[in-house]
Amino acid sequence: MQKSALVTGAGSGIGRGLALALARRGYHLLLVGRDQTRLAGSAAEVSVFSTAEVFCADLADPLARSRLIEAVLARGGAPMLLVHNAAAMPYGDFIQRSSAEIEAAFAVNLLAPADLTSRFCAAPVPPQGLIFVLSTAARFPQPYNSLYSASKSGLRALAEALQVEFAGRARVCLAYPPLTESALTRGFESGAWPVRKADALTVAERIISAYEAGRDEISWFDWEVLPSLFYRLAPGPFRWLLKAYRQKLQDMFKDRRA
Ligand SMILES: NC(=O)c1ccc[n+]([C@@H]2O[C@H](COP(=O)([O-])OP(=O)(O)OC[C@H]3O[C@@H](n4cnc5c(N)ncnc54)[C@H](OP(=O)(O)O)[C@@H]3O)[C@@H](O)[C@H]2O)c1
């Protein structure tokens, strides 16, 4: 039987790379996103190595999620590998975020992965593996990126809990990509940001290699390792430091996407 993988947010960035990396390893791809044209582009790239189907769905919409899950189950059952990659990152001052942005951040980043996981894992033949694409923003609070940080922290807790609950049945792999070139980070240009962005295809290839090698977690040794470690060891002083550098943080997360 051919291996299959469902990748959310497969029309761009790291998700497009994950789809390609899986296609190169012989997986049949189920590509999910909102933008039909971008998904068709990913499907065309994937077709050099394997086969793909496109599912257009807004993961923030519970009805659309339900339709997606039913369509996938009706076509061939649950995918062998479920890759939770889609994300929304409405950064900037918290009080300027709209209700729609708040809802989308939690729905896409946390509710959708929880919903898809529970429905597919209850199928007669459940997935054998799950990859959760997290972020270092799940490892320490990021002021001015609070909705992303809070929803990814929730996703991290869910993934770590499922690593235990699913042990012996399905493998759960946590991925913490470095700062990467993509639509999500457009506007995070060097100057305000201390580092260069990684290439999305290279990051995706490393995530899939790590999963295929049986690793439970993959992270990069980048600049965010330091604040993550500092927060874990000394949360009080870390919060004091965040307050001291509040203006700098606000500048870093200023919207420069115009
Ligand atoms: N780039 C980085 O520096 C970085 C660092 C750490 C972690 N990550 C994580 O890597 C993952 C991929 O991000 P990326 O950097 O590759 O950015 P990206 O290219 O913007 O990818 C995000 C994807 O999510 C999809 N998406 C957003 N809202 C959706 C919705 N409501 N319904 C369905 N799909 C939706 C988008 O597709 P449509 O617009 O077609 O719907 C898009 O393909 C995310 O989980 C992100 O948190 C990225």
Side-chain angles (χ1 to χ4, degrees), residues 15-165:
R16 178 179 145 246
L18 293 169
L20 261 177
L22 288 163
R24 276 198 287 269
R25 289 163 173 86
Y27 280 84
H28 168 68
L29 268 304
L30 312 173
L31 308 172
V32 179
R34 286 167 305 179
D35 189 298
Q36 173 83 41
T37 313
R38 280 203 297 266
L39 289 175
S42 295
E45 286 179 341
V46 157
S47 69
V48 177
F49 306 102
S50 185
T51 49
E53 292 168 82
V54 162
F55 294 86
C56 241
D58 181 351
L59 292 170
D61 175 358
L63 214 64
R65 278 203 306 269
S66 233
R67 273 195 231 108
L68 163 72
I69 293 162
E70 276 153 28
V72 170
L73 289 175
R75 282 190 64 81
M80 200 174 269
L81 171 64
L82 192 49
V83 185
H84 297 301
N85 166 78
M89 186 169 68
Y91 59 87
D93 292 29
F94 177 73
I95 54 163
Q96 284 169 15
R97 308 283 55 86
S98 66
S99 300
E101 285 179 312
I102 294 171
E103 292 219 354
F106 285 98
V108 180
N109 300 356
L110 181 54
L111 293 180
D115 197 12
L116 264 61
T117 299
S118 95
R119 296 278 303 277
F120 284 131
C121 289
V125 183
Q128 294 172 10
L130 297 99
I131 299 176
F132 287 80
V133 181
L134 300 165
S135 160
T136 335
R139 287 183 152 153
F140 63 92
Q142 288 194 350
Y144 304 102
N145 195 19
S146 54
L147 293 170
Y148 182 72
S149 191
S151 52
K152 286 284 188 182
S153 298
L155 188 64
R156 175 190 176 193
L158 176 72
E160 288 187 352
L162 295 183
Q163 255 178 348
V164 178
E165 286 193 36

Side-chain angles (χ1 to χ4, degrees), residues 4 14 17 87 112 131 134 216-217 222 224:
S4 62
I14 296 172
I131 299 176
L134 300 165
D216 288 342
E217 186 171 313
D222 69 350
E224 286 185 301

